[in-house]
């Protein structure tokens, strides 16, 4: 169960989507204080836990709809927008993420149960936010890794492993 995954820091899967608009600004969101992990922290794009029997792509589509009200994104579109796979291990949160990229210029309707605030910021503004405010550690890694990416052949992606359990 979700509760058991959180309480025991069990390894689980998540889909994440970095969202940019035509002005090259990144969508950041402040997680609701009601969230069970990283409440009240800023984060990049959206993150959604993969449910049993679901794909990363269908999970990303669900997250876009549920968290921001974004519709019309297909699993095919996401399959071709994968940036990298991230393995993140810490004493309290162990996760395998596929990280996607989306250009979006439409209206967003943040779900108040999930998000307290959402806005588009420049790369420099996101970097300042990470430096000065409480930011989701996985979101911080994903943003910084995104900035380091170099073009790679289509349908190939990088695998990045972060292990914070070792001292």
């Amino acid at each position: 169960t979700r509760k058991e995954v959180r309480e025991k820091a069990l390894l689980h899967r998540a889909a994440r989507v970095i969202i940019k608009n035509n002005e090259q600004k990144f969508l950041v969101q402040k997680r609701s204080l009601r969230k069970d992990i990283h409440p009240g922290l800023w984060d990049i794009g959206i993150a959604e836990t993969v449910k049993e029997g679901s794909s990363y792509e269908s999970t990303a589509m669900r997250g876009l709809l549920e968290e921001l009200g974004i519709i019309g994104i297909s699993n095919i579109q996401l399959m071709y927008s994968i940036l990298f796979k991230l393995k993140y291990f810490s004493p309290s949160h162990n996760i395998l993420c596929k990280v996607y990229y989306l250009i979006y210029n439409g209206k967003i309707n943040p779900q108040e149960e999930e998000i307290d605030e959402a806005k588009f910021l420049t790369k420099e503004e996101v970097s300042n936010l990470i430096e000065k405010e409480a930011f989701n550690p996985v979101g911080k890694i994903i943003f910084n890794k995104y900035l380091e990416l170099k073009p790679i052949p289509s349908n190939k992606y990088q695998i990045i492993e972060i292990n914070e359990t070792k001292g």
Side-chain angles (χ1 to χ4, degrees), residues 6 15 36 38 45 56 58 71 73 79 88 95 99 116 121 139 147-148 154 167:
R6 298 294 188 231
D36 57 354
H38 305 304
Y56 282 99
S58 65
I71 58 173
I73 308 302
M79 285 172 60
Y88 177 85
I95 192 164
V99 181
D116 285 343
L121 299 177
L147 296 180
E148 295 171 6
S154 66

Side-chain angles (χ1 to χ4, degrees), residues 12-76:
H12 62 287
R13 300 179 303 149
R16 285 187 151 266
V17 182
I18 294 174
I19 303 165
K20 286 175 77 175
N21 63 18
N22 282 345
E23 297 173 356
Q24 297 302 303
K25 291 184 177 182
F26 295 85
L27 183 118
V28 294
Q29 53 133 316
K30 189 167 191 179
R31 295 171 59 85
S32 169
L33 290 172
R34 292 173 275 217
K35 296 296 287 179
D36 57 354
I37 190 158
H38 305 304
L41 271 59
W42 286 97
D43 204 352
I44 191 83
I46 62 104
E48 191 73 29
T49 300
V50 179
K51 293 180 180 176
E52 186 177 346
S54 294
S55 68
Y56 282 99
E57 291 81 13
S58 65
T59 299
M61 290 167 40
R62 179 171 47 87
L64 290 165
L65 174 62
E66 290 178 1
E67 292 187 23
L68 299 171
I70 296 175
I71 58 173
I73 308 302
S74 74
N75 60 348
I76 302 292

Side-chain angles (χ1 to χ4, degrees), residues 8 30-31 40 72 88 92 94 102 115 138 143 161 163:
K8 297 180 179 179
K30 189 167 191 179
R31 295 171 59 85
Y88 177 85
S92 62
N94 297 295
L102 176 67
I115 299 172
V138 178
F143 176 73
E161 183 168 334
N163 191 340

